[in-house]
């Protein structure tokens, strides 16, 4: 195996190895559990490079519990019966009900959706679903008590509900194997990924593992009750982690600081970091020595670096003017971009697919991207036997700055 490229730019020596990584064998808790296969396989040519060091864990699998009957109860009887008999219901992602259009079901790993009937959705059917759900929050989201499902509303200018997106919430056991070794380092981790790739599902299981297996004091800041489920009693999927609900999405940053000041957490978990105030709250929490596990929307590290609202999560970027001598020594222009501060999240993971993740040591990756070079990263994926395979010393294939 040729490793010449490793000598040119060594990978950070403190980047964690996979020695802690173990697969969990978990028994199902009720008859509705099922094994979840890998939905999207990437081409083998994307998995390896000549300089990659690969390691796999022994015999792993995922166990998923979805409480799907509870979600189907809010649907019209015709749709409910059709989905109960749907052979692909294990892969059901969401059900879309829009006024005057045919109801649609969307499945994991499939483009587009499947119409459930030819008749259009009526106002009466939407009103019946609204009565079954009860009150929607200020973010137009509602849930079903005791489950992880999320229902989001689309309203007309008059405030009437004219559309519903019924998202299936699943509790997954075994997904945390992908990052178990990183949790041992007690450093903050930021997950990136497009909507639907499974960020919230990972947050949920990390909360359970940190609280029940690593015995940490864990507090979840749950803005839309998406991590801990609807209702005042959180779903059992988060284990012994505590959950703080957020009255309004605009108050998320305040509840994050309140959690630190009032409840002495060792770990704080927060979903969908999206505002400057939340980014500042994250830095304040990290500076107090509390481990953060968070998510943000974006597919690549460069999306966060270029985002003025969230760039502080990875250290921020500032323009620096070099002297003539320094510019000549570096072989660059006099004005360059540099990382402004240490990153709030020392680790950043791009969730490309549910079973294909790219792991960065944030500080090193940001510096190299700002200097126009490609950093070395770890690729974490599952093979056909559900084993976690970690490929180290791999050249990054994402966008530059």
């Amino acid at each position: 195996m040729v490793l010449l490229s490793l000598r040119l730019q060594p990978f950070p020596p403190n980047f964690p190895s996979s020695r802690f990584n173990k697969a969990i064998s978990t028994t199902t808790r009720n008859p509705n559990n099922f094994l979840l296969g890998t939905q999207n396989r990437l081409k083998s040519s994307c998995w390896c490079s000549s300089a990659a060091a690969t390691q796999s864990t022994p015999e792993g699998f995922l166990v998923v519990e979805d409480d799907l009957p509870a979600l189907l109860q809010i649907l019209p009887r015709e749709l409910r019966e059709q989905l109960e008999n749907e052979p692909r219901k294990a892969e059901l992602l969401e059900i879309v009900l829009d006024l005057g259009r045919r109801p649609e079901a969307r499945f994991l790993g499939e483009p587009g959706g499947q119409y459930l009937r030819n008749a259009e959705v009526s106002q009466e059917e939407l009103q019946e679903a609204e009565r079954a759900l009860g009150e929607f929050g200020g973010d137009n989201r509602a849930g079903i008590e005791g489950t992880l499902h999320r229902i989001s509303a689309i309203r007309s200018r008059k405030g009437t509900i004219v559309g519903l997106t019924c998202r299936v919430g699943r509790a997954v056991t075994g997904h945390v194997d992908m990052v178990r070794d990183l949790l041992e380092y007690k450093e903050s981790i930021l997950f990136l990924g497009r909507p639907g790739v499974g960020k919230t599902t990972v947050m949920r299981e990390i909360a359970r593992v940190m609280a029940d297996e690593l015995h940490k004091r864990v507090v979840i800041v749950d803005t839309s009750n998406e991590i801990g489920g609807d209702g005042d009693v959180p779903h059992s999927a988060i284990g012994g982690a505590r959950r703080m609900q957020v009255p309004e999405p605009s108050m998320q940053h305040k509840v994050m600081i309140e959690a630190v000041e009032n409840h002495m957490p060792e770990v704080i978990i927060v979903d969908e970091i999206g505002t400057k105030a939340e980014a500042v709250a994250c830095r304040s929490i990290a500076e107090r020595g509390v481990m953060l596990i968070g998510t943000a929307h974006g597919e690549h590290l460069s999306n966060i670096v270029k985002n003025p609202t969230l760039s502080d999560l990875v250290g921020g970027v500032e323009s620096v003017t070099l002297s003539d001598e320094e510019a000549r020594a570096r072989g660059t222009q006099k004005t360059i971009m540099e990382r402004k501060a240490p990153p709030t999240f020392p680790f950043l993971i791009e969730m490309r697919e549910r079973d294909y993740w790219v792991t960065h040591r944030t500080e090193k990756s940001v510096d190299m991207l700002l200097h126009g070079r490609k950093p070395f990263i770890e690729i974490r994926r599952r093979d056909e036997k559900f084993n976690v395979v970690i490929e180290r010393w791999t050249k990054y294939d994402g966008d530059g700055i």
Side-chain angles (χ1 to χ4, degrees), residues 53-304:
T54 304
Q55 176 173 344
S56 63
T57 64
E59 295 309 320
F61 62 83
L62 302 181
V63 177
V64 182
E65 184 177 356
D66 62 5
D67 296 320
L68 188 58
L71 179 62
L72 300 183
Q73 286 299 316
I74 71 169
L75 302 177
R77 177 181 295 180
E78 179 185 355
L79 304 184
R80 180 168 66 246
E81 292 176 351
Q82 181 174 345
L83 288 172
E84 285 173 347
N85 297 317
E86 169 61 52
R88 296 173 298 162
K89 67 179 180 181
E91 288 88 40
L92 181 63
L93 179 64
E94 61 188 12
I95 304 134
V96 175
L97 305 177
D98 285 333
L99 181 64
R101 295 183 176 181
R102 290 179 290 174
E104 183 180 358
R106 296 171 181 170
F107 298 89
L108 292 171
E110 295 185 15
Q114 171 187 312
Y115 291 118
L116 298 176
R117 70 182 187 194
N118 290 325
E120 299 173 345
V121 175
S122 67
Q123 188 69 62
E124 290 73 20
E125 289 175 326
L126 291 174
Q127 291 173 347
E128 185 177 345
E130 183 180 3
R131 285 193 294 270
L133 291 168
E135 186 177 356
F136 281 77
D139 56 356
N140 277 318
R141 291 181 177 181
I144 300 172
E145 189 164 356
T147 75
L148 301 171
H149 307 308
R150 184 188 77 192
I151 296 89
S152 302
I154 298 176
R155 295 182 183 272
S156 68
R157 295 179 63 182
K158 298 179 180 180
T160 304
I161 291 180
V162 294
L164 292 174
T165 303
C166 306
R167 189 74 172 271
V168 179
R170 293 182 169 96
V172 180
T173 300
H175 216 30
V176 78
D177 295 349
M178 299 276 279
V179 290
R180 180 175 289 272
D181 59 319
L182 298 187
L183 300 181
E184 299 280 352
Y185 281 77
K186 304 176 183 178
E187 292 190 285
S188 299
I189 306 172
L190 179 66
F191 289 84
L192 301 183
R194 66 184 184 278
V197 80
K199 299 186 300 296
T200 302
T201 302
V202 173
M203 295 295 100
R204 194 177 295 126
E205 197 190 3
I206 287 178
R208 179 188 62 78
V209 169
M210 295 293 288
D212 294 356
E213 298 182 22
L214 300 181
H215 308 293
K216 301 294 184 182
R217 297 189 300 273
V218 181
V219 173
I220 300 169
V221 177
D222 204 0
T223 303
S224 300
N225 285 354
E226 223 179 324
I227 299 178
D230 205 52
D232 293 334
V233 178
H235 195 278
S236 59
I238 67 170
R242 304 180 73 188
R243 191 263 297 268
M244 293 182 67
Q245 300 183 62
V246 181
E248 295 290 337
S250 60
M251 296 180 62
Q252 176 167 286
H253 65 287
K254 295 182 179 179
V255 178
M256 291 166 63
I257 298 299
E258 179 187 338
V260 176
E261 294 177 344
N262 292 355
H263 303 292
M264 295 179 60
E266 295 175 286
V267 181
I268 284 185
I269 293 178
V270 57
D271 202 10
E272 296 185 5
I273 301 167
T275 68
K276 187 68 174 178
E278 290 161 10
V280 171
C282 285
R283 178 164 293 278
S284 175
I285 291 169
E287 289 173 348
R288 302 181 199 205
V290 178
M291 180 179 177
L292 274 166
I293 307 290
T295 71
H297 287 301
E299 292 196 67
H300 302 291
L301 172 58
S302 60
N303 299 142
I304 301 298

Side-chain angles (χ1 to χ4, degrees), residues 337-339 362-373:
M337 304 303 293
E338 294 278 1
R339 180 170 46 83
T362 310
E363 182 175 337
K364 297 292 184 181
S365 289
V366 170
D367 288 349
M368 291 190 70
L369 288 173
L370 289 174
H371 294 161
R373 292 182 291 173

